[in-house]
Amino acid sequence: MNPVNYLYLAALLFTIGAFGVLIRRNAIVVFMCVELMLNAANLTLVAFSRMHGNLDGQIMAFFVMVVAAAEVVVGLAIIVMLYRSRHSASVDDASLMKL
Amino acid sequence: MSGLLASTTSGAEAFQFWLLGGIAVAGALGTVLLRRAVHSALCLAGTMIILAIFYLANGAYFLGVVQIVVYTGAVMMLFLFVLMLVGVSTADNLKETLRGQRWMAALCALGLGILVTAGIGQAALGSFTGVEEANAVHGGNVPGIAEKLFTEYVVAFEVTGVLLTVAAVGATLLTHRERIEKATSQREQAEARTRSGHVPPLPAPGVYALHNAVDRPGLLPDGSPSELTVNPTLRERGQMREVSADKLASLAALEQRTAEYHGTAGGPANRRAEARRSLEKREAGEAAEPADTTPAGGDADGTAEDTDTGPSDAGPADKRPPGDRTSGDQASGDQASGEEEAK
Amino acid sequence: MIGLLVAAPLLGAAVLLCGGRHLNRTGHWLGTVLAGVSFILAAVLFVDMLGRPGDDRALHQHLYSWVPVGGFQADIAFQLDQLSMTFVLLITGVGTLIHLYSVGYMEHDERRRRFFGYLNLFLAAMLLLVLADNFLLLYVGWEGVGLASYLLIGFWQHKPSAATAAKKAFVVNRVGDAGLAIAIFLMFTTFGTFAFGPVLANAEEATQATLTGIGLMLLLAACGKSAQVPLQSWLGDAMEGPTPVSALIHAATMVTAGVYLITRSGAIFNAAPDAQTAVVVVGAVTLLFGAIVGCAKDDIKKALAGSTMSQIGYMVLAAGLGPIGYAFAIMHLVTHGFFKAGLFLGAGSVMHGMNDEVDMRKYGGLRKYMPVTFVTFGLGYLAIIGFPGLSGFFSKDAIIEAAFAKGGTQGWVLGAVTLLGAAITAYYMTRVMLLTFFGEKRWQPDKNGNEPHPHESPKTMVIPMAVLAFGSVFAGGLFTSNDAFVNWLKPVTSFEHGHPPIGVAAITTLTVVMLLIGVGAAWLQYGRRPVPVVAPRGSLVTRAARRDLLQDDFNHVVLVRGGEHLTRSLVYVDNKLVDGAVNGTAAAFGGLSGRMRRVQNGFARSYAVSMFGGAALLVAVTLLMRAV
């Protein structure tokens, strides 16, 4: 087996995550799908690191994790606030910008 | 796990890949398709753990551990925490409300997947270097990562630290709610309710009973059960339950002890007993005496009295049937003066 | 010197109109004196001019360049030649007399100072008109007299009829003014200038079409200002103004500006026979038109207004005859200025004595009460009907001869028309005379119960009338002795002796016969039998003539209604076509936006789809680029 298969797997996971972002209405699930996409990207970074024999890819993945953690903190805080004010975690309910 | 420029990995890793890869895809699909957010979160956690294993298989030992600690350990737990906060039991309705959204989403996702796959296929290398050599330079994966992180990427590392701090502060700020006025006490609420004229109705039967059930009669001021407080149908059927005599006895004993504790004349139970007696005399003399002279505030003194009556009669004994109004009012007057002393 | 001619009345106008109430007592004398100063200056210039040989008499004075822009040179420059001199003398002379007359006539009017201010303004504008050495400056004067005319017709603006008449005169004059403006534009595009000298000297170099166009536009201008058919309708209503105004502006001077314009542009008309024919036709038609209207009017001033129209028709006809007629046109203009001003002043005097009654049927037998007015008016009457020996006889006879001299059928027709006109003139003027001064007295108390007490007018009014009567009697003879007037104007207008197909003596005899027929007819109708105070219904022609031969009805039906229909159709086109296009464009964009805004549905997920679609496209393009 060639490690390229990891890339295909990552592409598949990324696609599934994107699909989830587009079809789910629950903000938390949408958020989880985003995390799934980030993880898929991380997997490609790690696989590339191995294929090229270079640790830089792993460093990148590490930074992605840190940024994702920060994103989760702020994002979940926003979701909590949204839930407090609207009693709903649906992304479709937050559509005040429409005409 | 051998040599430079291999073109295939070991058979064990291939087996592991196909097995766990399938599970990871299943987990991802579960995340997207399951109706309950909690199930989604658990599926995602499973996928992440498998990804951690893949990291390890790819020689990224540090990342594998971090993945488990940070993602499955911290991030996913945070997700679950918020899910509990928002409501864990609700199942999402998966019916699509936006017209064409699902088709468009499927088209986009499929197109993107095909394109990315094609891109990977185009860029695929026939052979790979393997990360063992790079790990070995500094004596292992973790030292290697550390070496790079604290030399080459040190600025990014620091900036990331700042980012995390900002995120923590921001999350605190977002979720923090500051109370900017004094909390109203129960008594203040009751007074406000009385002043506004929205006086609650008189308590329903059973409220002042020892037991919170419709088939148990309420107690009259003297402690005897009043049949009128029970639904006539139940009475007819003989389904009215007795308020057991020994409970009444224990209650009487409790009152007695309380009276002794407070001193013979000072205890509210005593006073109540005296009031009861005088009331009976009066009712015998002048039957036309209106039973309820002060319509307002019954609930208010009821709740307020909880504060200084003894634990034994804090509940049911204090909750008087309507007939006991006048004495209750006296009691509340006394209690108000008592409160002033306390202040 | 020439500038001072204009400046004196202009100064008067400025002082009187801008000055305060304290000028009320002396203002009218200031205006009169300044008009007199103008006249004295004119007289001095005249004497000076007589001292020089005929071809060297024109004076030029360049004051300053008004608008010097590249090839466009508009100058404030004056030209005083024999033609202008004639007009200047007439304007200042008659103007001064009428100022003097107004002192008495307007004695009891609260706004006399303003009246004199307007009169001075008129004098200044009229002098500017005749003294200008280019068409643009002439246009300034032309508009100036139009303004003064408007202000003076509407002087008694508290009367709605006067205000309406002023507005009517102004609007009708605008049509003519537009003609003059277009003529000036054409001149500038054709000749590159609008100074008299170059334009008239080079007139024959332009194409026939251009010249005809310029000529017709000038004729339109003349029609507007001189009340010629088809722009004649304002003159009758203009009689709402004070009588001195009618005498000065609407009889003697301003309304003759059209004749001046045609004579001044003679070179253009000489080179454009078609335009000249149009001028003749207009003159002939107006001649009869005005005369017929004058026969039917019972209002003394309107009868005289019809007469004015008719007499100016004579002048325009003469001017249209070309070099054989210009001098006679101007000569008739001058004599007409004398006797018509005298007649109007006489009418004013009569009205003055009759509590401002204008209906001639309520006069009668006034000769005993107003002897001086009777004599001066009578002399003017004899002059206008062409009684042999008086000025009108000479000037009108000359025009009739020139009309016959035109030659061919045209000559016969024109001669017949002018002869017929002479007869009708005699008829309506005799009618006026008989109704006013002869017969029984028919006046009645007015609606306030005041019995009129006819009396002779004060000296300030009588003296001008006497002077004008003097002019009416002798001017004609003076002008024609040794062809003095013709020789005087010859350097400017050129002159050819016409040769009528029948003898001069025969024409004169015919004229006198026609005159006697007219007088006799009037005497039969109004002298022999008593005149009813209320006008009889009259024949169809009489009734039409009383309504100014339906000119206002014609204007209303053709112009007002037609204009309304045109406006409505244009509004329709504007609403449906123009607005339709504009609104349609707006609606198209609105509809498009309405469809496009559905994309902006506010749902984050929709936006996310767009984003992913875009990302997919980017990847696709990148891959394609690599593949290619």
Side-chain angles (χ1 to χ4, degrees):
Chain A
M1 186 201 81
N2 194 303
V4 169
N5 286 346
Y6 286 113
L7 298 182
Y8 289 125
L9 176 66
L12 188 57
L13 292 180
F14 183 88
T15 307
I16 293 171
F19 183 65
V21 167
L22 295 184
I23 64 159
R24 291 305 293 256
R25 278 196 298 279
N26 189 331
I28 300 171
V29 179
V30 169
F31 214 179
M32 288 194 280
C33 292
V34 172
E35 293 302 318
L36 182 60
M37 289 162 75
L38 283 171
N39 270 293
N42 275 353
L43 181 59
T44 57
L45 287 172
V46 171
F48 276 128
S49 166
R50 181 185 187 189
M51 287 160 74
H52 294 285
N54 194 331
L55 290 184
D56 289 330
Q58 297 185 15
I59 301 284
M60 284 299 145
F62 174 73
F63 281 126
V64 169
M65 283 183 188
V66 177
V67 173
E71 180 209 338
V72 164
V73 169
V74 177
L76 285 177
I78 290 174
I79 289 171
V80 167
M81 262 188 61
L82 207 64
Y83 185 78
R84 267 190 205 153
S85 62
R86 300 181 168 274
H87 298 285
S88 156
S90 168
V91 289
D92 283 2
D93 285 352
S95 60
L96 288 179
M97 295 283 279
K98 79 173 167 192
L99 287 166
Chain B
M1 308 227 169
S2 64
L4 299 168
L5 280 179
S7 59
T8 55
T9 56
S10 66
E13 191 187 342
F15 174 74
Q16 175 191 284
F17 174 81
W18 292 116
L19 182 68
L20 294 184
I23 297 174
V25 170
L29 286 174
T31 307
V32 172
L33 297 177
L34 287 178
R35 293 179 65 214
R36 286 177 188 267
V38 178
H39 296 170
S40 289
L42 292 176
C43 285
L44 185 61
T47 304
M48 282 176 174
I49 289 170
I50 290 170
L51 284 183
I53 294 170
F54 283 157
Y55 292 172
L56 294 174
N58 277 316
Y61 306 116
F62 177 68
L63 277 186
V65 175
V66 168
Q67 168 85 357
I68 290 178
V69 171
V70 172
Y71 264 116
T72 41
V75 171
M76 287 322 295
M77 288 315 112
L78 196 56
F79 268 111
L80 284 173
F81 190 76
V82 171
L83 274 176
M84 301 301 164
L85 206 65
V86 165
V88 71
S89 60
T90 51
D92 289 349
N93 184 0
L94 285 187
K95 189 168 162 45
E96 184 55 60
T97 50
L98 299 182
R99 197 157 57 93
Q101 171 80 10
R102 190 160 286 180
W103 291 109
M104 287 295 291
L107 195 70
C108 283
L110 205 65
L112 197 67
I114 290 170
L115 286 166
V116 170
T117 309
I120 294 168
Q122 224 176 25
L125 301 170
S127 58
F128 65 95
T129 309
V131 82
E132 292 79 9
E133 199 173 318
N135 279 344
V137 172
H138 294 284
N141 179 253
V142 178
I145 297 269
E147 161 71 20
K148 278 200 175 292
L149 204 56
F150 294 114
T151 56
E152 203 174 330
Y153 294 98
V154 69
V155 178
F157 182 75
E158 298 293 343
V159 171
T160 315
V162 173
L163 176 73
L164 279 173
T165 315
V166 170
V169 172
T172 316
L173 202 68
L174 278 175
T175 49
H176 180 65
R177 271 192 303 190
E178 187 150 12
R179 177 183 289 284
I180 53 172
E181 54 191 7
K182 191 174 144 292
T184 48
S185 71
Q186 209 172 16
R187 184 180 179 84
E188 282 165 346
Q189 286 175 1
E191 283 171 354
R193 212 160 38 231
T194 309
R195 277 194 210 99
S196 69
H198 293 292
V199 184
L202 290 175
V207 171
Y208 296 123
L210 269 177
H211 302 276
N212 187 13
V214 287
D215 57 349
R216 301 234 183 190
L219 298 182
L220 287 175
D222 58 352
S224 60
S226 163
E227 293 200 343
L228 287 174
T229 59
V230 176
N231 193 324
T233 314
L234 295 178
R235 229 160 42 214
E236 289 298 318
R237 289 184 188 159
Q239 285 179 338
M240 194 172 79
R241 281 208 271 170
E242 285 289 323
V243 179
S244 57
D246 58 326
K247 270 223 168 120
L248 282 177
S250 71
L251 185 66
L254 192 65
E255 285 194 355
Q256 182 66 33
R257 279 203 302 277
T258 312
E260 280 167 6
Y261 177 75
H262 282 292
T264 46
N270 249 4
R271 269 179 301 172
R272 210 167 286 153
E274 285 167 15
R276 238 174 256 145
R277 279 191 290 278
S278 64
L279 183 70
E280 276 160 12
K281 279 177 201 159
R282 245 192 311 175
E283 275 176 349
E286 30 190 334
E289 169 78 6
D292 196 353
T293 50
T294 40
D299 195 29
D301 13 309
T303 48
E305 267 177 21
D306 289 350
T307 51
D308 67 340
T309 46
S312 58
D313 65 349
D318 190 43
K319 295 183 176 163
R320 307 167 301 279
D324 197 18
R325 274 296 150 138
T326 41
S327 65
D329 289 332
Q330 286 170 3
S332 83
D334 292 347
Q335 187 241 322
S337 60
E339 242 183 29
E340 274 162 21
E341 286 165 23
K343 280 171 188 170
Chain C
M1 192 74 166
I2 304 174
L4 279 181
L5 270 178
V6 183
L10 199 61
L11 175 75
V15 168
L16 288 174
L17 292 178
C18 302
R21 215 171 290 137
H22 47 273
L23 280 173
N24 274 356
R25 226 183 262 172
T26 54
H28 46 287
W29 286 114
L30 176 68
T32 311
V33 165
L34 282 171
V37 165
S38 238
F39 178 65
I40 291 165
L41 282 172
V44 170
L45 284 167
F46 178 60
V47 171
D48 179 48
M49 188 180 274
L50 283 178
R52 276 170 300 175
D55 291 335
D56 194 25
R57 280 176 170 166
L59 281 178
H60 292 273
Q61 187 179 13
H62 183 268
L63 275 189
Y64 64 98
S65 281
W66 180 17
V67 188
V69 181
F72 180 92
Q73 291 292 333
D75 295 335
I76 302 286
F78 296 123
Q79 169 186 336
L80 183 68
D81 57 8
Q82 289 90 331
L83 181 61
S84 300
M85 194 71 233
T86 311
F87 269 91
V88 167
L89 283 174
L90 176 72
I91 293 160
T92 54
V94 177
T96 308
L97 288 176
I98 288 175
H99 271 76
L100 189 63
Y101 177 88
S102 305
V103 170
Y105 189 84
M106 302 295 283
E107 196 173 355
H108 305 296
D109 198 292
E110 287 176 0
R111 297 159 72 223
R112 183 167 61 170
R113 174 175 58 85
R114 185 181 297 266
F115 179 80
F116 276 84
Y118 290 157
L119 275 188
N120 272 1
L121 178 66
F122 168 75
L123 278 191
M126 191 71 201
L127 287 171
L128 189 65
L129 195 162
V130 297
L131 284 172
D133 97 322
N134 60 63
F135 281 99
L136 196 67
L137 194 59
L138 180 146
Y139 189 72
V140 175
W142 189 270
E143 293 291 345
V145 295
L147 170 69
S149 165
Y150 168 77
L151 292 171
L152 285 167
I153 294 171
F155 185 71
W156 287 323
Q157 58 206 210
H158 52 87
K159 288 197 292 184
S161 57
T164 314
K167 197 160 67 183
K168 184 176 181 183
F170 198 76
V171 170
V172 176
N173 265 300
R174 288 262 72 73
V175 180
D177 297 348
L180 182 55
I182 294 170
I184 294 174
F185 300 156
L186 282 173
M187 281 174 203
F188 187 76
T189 51
T190 312
F191 303 108
T193 176
F194 31 65
F196 288 153
V199 169
L200 298 178
N202 301 327
E204 298 190 356
E205 292 169 12
T207 63
Q208 192 63 34
T210 315
L211 285 175
T212 308
I214 295 176
L216 288 178
M217 285 300 123
L218 287 174
L219 175 63
L220 184 66
C223 284
K225 200 55 88 186
S226 294
Q228 301 294 293
V229 175
L231 299 178
Q232 81 290 12
S233 64
W234 63 272
L235 188 60
D237 293 325
M239 294 303 131
E240 290 290 343
T243 308
V245 172
S246 309
L248 176 61
I249 301 184
H250 305 122
T253 55
M254 187 194 83
V255 286
T256 59
V259 181
Y260 171 79
L261 185 67
I262 294 174
T263 311
R264 178 57 84 189
S265 327
I268 294 172
F269 283 99
N270 291 344
D274 292 343
Q276 224 167 16
T277 310
V279 174
V280 173
V281 170
V282 164
V285 170
T286 314
L287 190 166
L288 293 178
F289 188 98
I292 293 168
V293 169
C295 291
K297 291 287 185 186
D298 288 331
D299 180 327
I300 185 169
K301 287 180 71 180
K302 291 200 172 167
L304 289 177
S307 162
T308 304
M309 221 183 276
S310 167
Q311 297 303 313
I312 296 171
Y314 269 110
M315 298 170 211
V316 170
L317 190 150
L321 293 174
I324 56 171
Y326 290 135
F328 298 135
I330 301 301
M331 187 163 83
H332 191 57
L333 192 153
V334 175
T335 55
H336 174 258
F338 280 118
F339 57 67
K340 185 52 65 64
L343 286 171
F344 264 112
L345 294 191
S349 177
V350 169
M351 287 160 56
H352 194 72
M354 294 292 289
N355 286 356
D356 287 329
E357 178 60 62
V358 292
D359 190 349
M360 290 189 289
R361 290 179 185 277
K362 293 177 183 165
Y363 290 165
L366 285 177
R367 66 180 187 280
K368 281 176 284 203
Y369 299 92
M370 305 176 150
V372 181
T373 305
F374 169 59
V375 169
T376 56
F377 196 92
L379 289 174
Y381 155 73
L382 290 176
I384 193 174
I385 64 172
F387 193 80
L390 275 73
S391 59
F393 169 74
F394 295 108
S395 55
K396 198 183 289 180
D397 199 45
I399 292 177
I400 295 171
E401 281 171 30
F404 275 112
K406 176 78 175 171
T409 323
Q410 225 182 5
W412 285 106
V413 172
L414 292 176
V417 167
T418 48
L419 275 177
L420 183 62
I424 304 176
T425 307
Y427 171 79
Y428 67 71
M429 282 314 297
T430 309
R431 176 173 172 270
V432 169
M433 197 69 193
L434 290 173
L435 284 176
T436 307
F437 291 104
F438 294 92
E440 298 298 311
K441 58 174 187 179
R442 296 183 298 273
W443 58 79
Q444 299 160 333
D446 64 10
K447 55 181 181 286
N448 296 329
N450 296 330
E451 182 83 15
H453 299 288
H455 54 85
E456 196 47 84
S457 300
K459 279 210 173 55
T460 48
M461 292 169 69
V462 170
I463 291 171
M465 284 154 61
V467 173
L468 288 171
F470 185 81
S472 315
V473 174
F474 297 109
L478 197 68
F479 290 163
T480 43
S481 62
N482 300 326
D483 283 340
F485 197 80
V486 171
N487 291 333
W488 160 256
L489 277 184
K490 206 170 173 180
V492 183
T493 60
S494 71
F495 182 71
E496 291 168 16
H497 255 296
H499 299 288
I502 49 176
V504 174
I507 293 176
T508 308
T509 314
L510 263 177
T511 313
V512 174
V513 170
M514 297 303 281
L515 154 74
L516 289 177
I517 291 172
V519 172
W523 186 74
L524 282 177
Q525 202 175 348
Y526 295 101
R528 239 176 24 149
R529 48 180 190 226
V531 179
V533 175
V534 178
R537 191 148 176 276
S539 67
L540 199 65
V541 178
T542 314
R543 273 181 282 151
R546 280 194 192 126
R547 297 189 58 137
D548 298 322
L549 288 179
L550 304 177
Q551 59 187 15
D552 289 331
D553 306 79
F554 176 82
N555 285 348
H556 187 76
V557 170
V558 174
L559 299 178
V560 178
R561 290 268 174 76
E564 281 174 355
H565 281 295
L566 183 67
T567 314
R568 251 178 248 141
S569 52
L570 284 179
V571 165
Y572 181 81
V573 168
D574 184 58
N575 280 348
K576 297 289 168 186
L577 218 68
V578 179
D579 287 7
V582 174
N583 293 342
T585 312
F589 276 104
L592 192 64
S593 314
R595 288 199 173 77
M596 282 180 63
R597 85 173 186 181
R598 294 208 188 137
V599 174
Q600 298 287 326
N601 57 8
F603 293 113
R605 290 191 296 138
S606 286
Y607 301 157
V609 166
S610 318
M611 223 171 90
F612 274 109
L617 270 180
L618 277 181
V619 173
V621 169
T622 312
L623 287 177
L624 270 178
M625 295 307 284
R626 283 174 55 116
V628 173

